[in-house]
Amino acid sequence: MKLIHLSDIHLTTPGQTIGGRDPRANFARALAHVLRDHADAELMVITGDLSDWADRTDYEWLKERLQEFPLPVRLCIGNHDDRTTFLSVFPECNDSGFAQGVKDIAAGRCLFLDTWGPESHAGFYCDARQQWLEQQLSEGDGPFFLFMHHNPIPTHLGPMDKIGLRDDVAFRRIVGRHRDKIRHIFFGHCHIPMAGSTAGVPTTSLRGTNHASYVDFAETKMLLGSDLPESYGVAFIGEDYVTVHMIEFGYQGEIRSGGSPDYKAWDRETMQR
């Protein structure tokens, strides 16, 4: 099966830009690109920072767009969102007072986690949410796929780790207890393509649909690189594998098919040896 992963769409007031880019226009471009190339996907998940300033009008606009979108969509919230405002527009995402939930797909069961905390860009996963996750993982046979906003692992990038998941150790303990049931963890927040493991479970992230971050391990304040292409992710899930691609739908350069003439010549010479 195939699923689509979007993150950090950062919707704003019409006409406003972030990094010189229009988040609403780029989100619409991402949706069109998904339908063009991946209309056969079973599910699309957006892992937070849905609105840049948690404006209700952004959530209302998003709901209208998704009602017109032919693929099933599930949402997580991020540090730029507001849980109360979000749930007032998307009440179906409310589970026990948090923006969390469950959806079964052909490959297993998806869990959508709420890592939002008030007045902070860092992530939080309190006792109540930990108990919810523990219950979900304990009651099902899996396999499970987890979706969340904040990075559950250290990035070793100073600015990002200052606003990472504060309850990461407790979270990883839960994941570790159920690692045999969890196939993959998807997250956002960092605006950076990243791969690793969370308590032994494969974990990936990607750029947002509008602006991106640039990896600079010497940076101490902010990681931004707005000239990098806007992106979304595609995951192919088989019985014994998960393959994740980052699709740079915003790439403006030349795309060659079949390789350059020099590459073809090199390939012929290599095959003859």
Side-chain angles (χ1 to χ4, degrees):
M1 65 147 301
K2 180 193 294 185
L3 65 81
I4 307 298
H5 177 204
L6 275 68
S7 195
D8 298 275
I9 62 178
H10 285 270
L11 299 176
T12 57
T13 302
Q16 289 189 353
T17 62
I18 300 174
R21 297 178 178 180
D22 185 333
R24 290 198 182 197
N26 280 322
F27 177 66
R29 289 174 60 215
L31 294 184
H33 200 278
V34 167
L35 287 184
R36 191 195 75 181
D37 290 355
H38 306 291
D40 58 337
E42 185 174 337
L43 177 68
M44 184 171 81
V45 183
I46 310 176
T47 53
D49 280 359
L50 308 173
S51 171
D52 196 51
W53 293 99
D55 289 334
R56 182 182 176 87
T57 54
D58 290 335
Y59 297 133
E60 291 172 339
W61 184 87
L62 175 61
K63 188 159 195 172
E64 290 177 1
R65 300 290 79 72
L66 296 183
Q67 286 173 339
E68 301 167 353
F69 195 64
L71 300 181
V73 182
R74 293 296 183 272
L75 305 172
C76 300
I77 57 174
N79 49 293
H80 280 259
D81 295 304
D82 177 77
R83 183 188 293 132
T84 300
T85 307
F86 169 76
L87 290 178
S88 71
V89 179
F90 292 93
E92 65 274 17
C93 296
N94 190 335
D95 185 324
S96 306
F98 295 100
Q100 57 191 8
V102 179
K103 179 175 174 58
D104 289 328
I105 57 176
R109 174 163 290 182
C110 297
L111 301 180
F112 313 107
L113 312 188
D114 180 341
T115 60
W116 181 86
E119 300 180 359
S120 175
H121 284 297
F124 298 88
Y125 210 62
C126 63
D127 289 344
R129 283 172 279 186
Q130 292 176 34
Q131 291 171 14
W132 179 88
L133 178 59
E134 181 73 48
Q135 180 179 353
Q136 296 298 329
L137 295 172
S138 297
E139 291 180 350
D141 296 328
F144 291 95
F145 301 87
L146 274 55
F147 296 84
M148 58 197 299
H149 182 70
H150 289 84
N151 48 297
I153 50 175
T155 67
H156 296 274
L157 295 162
M160 289 311 313
D161 286 338
K162 289 178 182 177
I163 57 173
L165 187 66
R166 295 279 175 84
D167 305 297
D168 60 330
V169 174
F171 176 79
R172 288 197 294 272
R173 286 191 186 123
I174 298 172
V175 170
R177 284 196 291 272
H178 301 277
R179 65 164 60 95
D180 293 340
K181 296 181 180 180
I182 306 173
R183 294 279 304 277
H184 204 89
I185 300 175
F186 300 85
F187 68 96
H189 188 48
C190 303
H191 295 241
I192 291 170
M194 230 181 325
S197 62
T198 301
V201 176
T203 305
T204 54
S205 184
L206 72 172
R207 297 189 198 124
T209 59
N210 190 69
H211 48 294
S213 294
Y214 178 80
V215 174
D216 182 352
F217 291 99
E219 184 56 74
T220 60
K221 295 181 180 179
M222 182 69 74
L223 299 167
L224 286 177
S226 292
D227 58 332
L228 296 170
E230 304 91 335
S231 306
Y232 66 84
V234 176
F236 296 86
I237 302 173
E239 185 175 342
D240 58 356
Y241 71 88
V242 177
T243 301
V244 181
H245 291 275
M246 187 177 72
I247 309 300
E248 295 177 313
F249 73 93
Y251 177 66
Q252 299 295 320
E254 181 181 358
I255 298 177
R256 294 192 178 97
S257 178
S260 67
D262 289 343
Y263 176 82
K264 290 179 180 177
W266 176 86
D267 189 52
R268 285 196 300 271
E269 293 173 3
T270 303
M271 294 296 290
Q272 290 171 358
R273 288 201 293 269

